[in-house]
Amino acid sequence: MTVENNKPSSESPSPSAAAQSATASSVVPQEEARIPVPVRTATKKRKRNSPRRSLLGLAGVLTFFLIWEITPRIGLLPAKYLPPASEVLAVFIQDLGMASFWKSVGDTMLAWGIGLSVAIIAATAIGLVVGMSPFLRKFTNSTVEFLRPIPSVALIPIAVLLFGVKIESSLMLIIYASFWQVLIQTLYGVADVDNVAMNTAKSYGFSYFQRLRDVVFPTVWPFLMTGIRLAAAVALILAITAQLVIGSPGLGNEISRAQSGGAIAGMYALILATGLLGVLINLVMRFIEKKTLGWHPSVRGEVVV
């Protein structure tokens, strides 16, 4: 009689061993799934200014001067009031060799520089203080929205009454117009500060000035540079306007004198000089912005995908 052996064979795994093996095999993918996979942020470079784009810009300028040259010569506009571009450019080249022209340019740039500097310093300081205080921001909001839309040229009678035709009249208009450009951008920059970063700085015991320097100002800086670039253009416009209307020394006053004296080509040459000043100021401001904001994506030319 054959007796059956009911003991499990050593070669066949037991149910518990099979279960443990299955559990172990199922754990491995879970552990592997927990391993963080590094995510690469794709960036793509913006197309920089190509020679083709520069040529297109130059072609646009040449087309403008060509239309200007043709318009009075074919009689669309009287040459008495709109001289051909070639005549205006000839007078402009003559002005470049005159000391009186450069003195007028210096007077204009002096008023522009002083007014813009005062506006930047005052607006930045006030914007940081007001922006970091919710009470002050609510308290001054209505006042800012009331004063900001007032055109600076509406203050010309007040400027003349207070300062006459001296440079102080121009400075009053320049400072008033430029101040709001910088102030609004500063307030926007302070409002964009990360609350988590601010609360973390407070929890680490940062003082008011440390939070201002290490947390607020790096966020405000791109906004501030935008405001300064806008204010620089506005300051030049107000400098020319004040000199043109009030009669304070500068290019605006020379434009008025040329117009009243019948030197139409000379008047257009001076207007052309103010346009070139505007282009030069814009290039300088963009250069400063690029150098001081090299870490910012908008200047570095990268877009996060």
Side-chain angles (χ1 to χ4, degrees):
M1 183 175 180
T2 306
V3 180
E4 294 181 357
N5 187 7
N6 294 328
K7 292 183 180 181
S9 173
S10 58
E11 297 180 357
S12 62
S14 62
S16 59
Q20 291 177 0
S21 176
T23 304
S25 62
S26 63
V27 168
V28 173
Q30 293 178 1
E31 293 295 335
E32 292 179 353
R34 294 194 189 102
I35 299 176
V37 178
V39 179
R40 298 180 62 185
T41 303
T43 59
K44 61 180 181 180
K45 291 283 185 180
R46 290 179 180 173
K47 293 182 179 180
R48 297 187 177 181
N49 293 334
S50 60
R52 181 181 178 184
R53 184 175 180 181
S54 301
L55 290 175
L56 286 175
L58 180 60
V61 174
L62 294 177
T63 302
F64 168 76
F65 279 104
L66 180 61
I67 295 174
W68 182 3
E69 180 73 21
I70 294 174
T71 299
R73 293 192 181 277
I74 63 177
L76 289 179
L77 289 174
K80 179 181 178 180
Y81 303 112
L82 182 65
S86 58
E87 183 179 341
V88 174
L89 290 175
V91 176
F92 175 72
I93 293 174
Q94 291 177 1
D95 289 342
L96 294 178
M98 299 175 61
S100 59
F101 170 79
W102 291 108
K103 184 179 183 304
S104 299
V105 172
D107 292 335
T108 300
M109 296 306 295
L110 177 64
W112 172 83
I114 296 175
L116 180 63
S117 300
V118 173
I120 291 173
I121 294 172
T124 303
I126 295 175
L128 290 174
V129 173
V130 172
M132 291 185 65
S133 172
F135 169 76
L136 289 177
R137 183 151 191 169
K138 294 177 182 177
F139 182 74
T140 59
N141 182 61
S142 300
T143 305
V144 170
E145 294 301 324
F146 170 73
L147 294 175
R148 185 166 63 96
I150 297 177
S152 299
V153 292
L155 303 178
I156 289 178
I158 301 176
V160 173
L161 288 174
L162 292 176
F163 305 109
V165 296
K166 296 183 292 185
I167 190 175
E168 287 82 357
S169 299
S170 300
L171 292 178
M172 176 179 173
L173 302 180
I174 295 170
I175 293 171
Y176 184 84
S178 304
F179 175 83
W180 302 111
Q181 305 292 330
V182 181
L183 177 66
I184 297 302
Q185 291 295 326
T186 304
L187 292 176
Y188 285 156
V190 176
D192 197 57
V193 174
D194 189 2
N195 290 328
V196 176
M198 182 64 74
N199 294 331
T200 302
K202 289 180 180 179
S203 65
Y204 275 96
F206 280 32
S207 65
Y208 178 86
F209 291 102
Q210 285 178 322
R211 297 197 304 271
L212 184 65
R213 180 192 63 192
D214 299 329
V215 180
V216 176
F217 203 73
T219 304
V220 172
W221 186 246
F223 292 87
L224 181 60
M225 286 304 303
T226 300
I228 292 174
R229 182 160 51 85
L230 295 174
V234 171
L236 180 63
I237 294 172
L238 266 298
I240 302 297
T241 303
Q243 294 164 2
L244 184 65
V245 177
I246 298 175
S248 52
L251 285 175
N253 187 27
E254 294 298 321
I255 292 173
S256 178
R257 292 173 59 184
Q259 185 270 336
S260 60
I264 305 302
M267 180 190 72
Y268 279 103
L270 292 170
I271 295 173
L272 184 63
T274 61
L276 292 176
L277 275 180
V279 173
L280 180 62
I281 288 174
N282 184 62
L283 291 176
V284 171
M285 289 299 162
R286 287 191 176 276
F287 176 79
I288 295 174
E289 186 178 21
K290 183 178 180 180
K291 290 299 181 182
T292 58
L293 288 175
W295 51 271
H296 200 266
S298 63
V299 176
R300 196 168 61 240
E302 294 181 358
V303 181
V304 179
V305 179

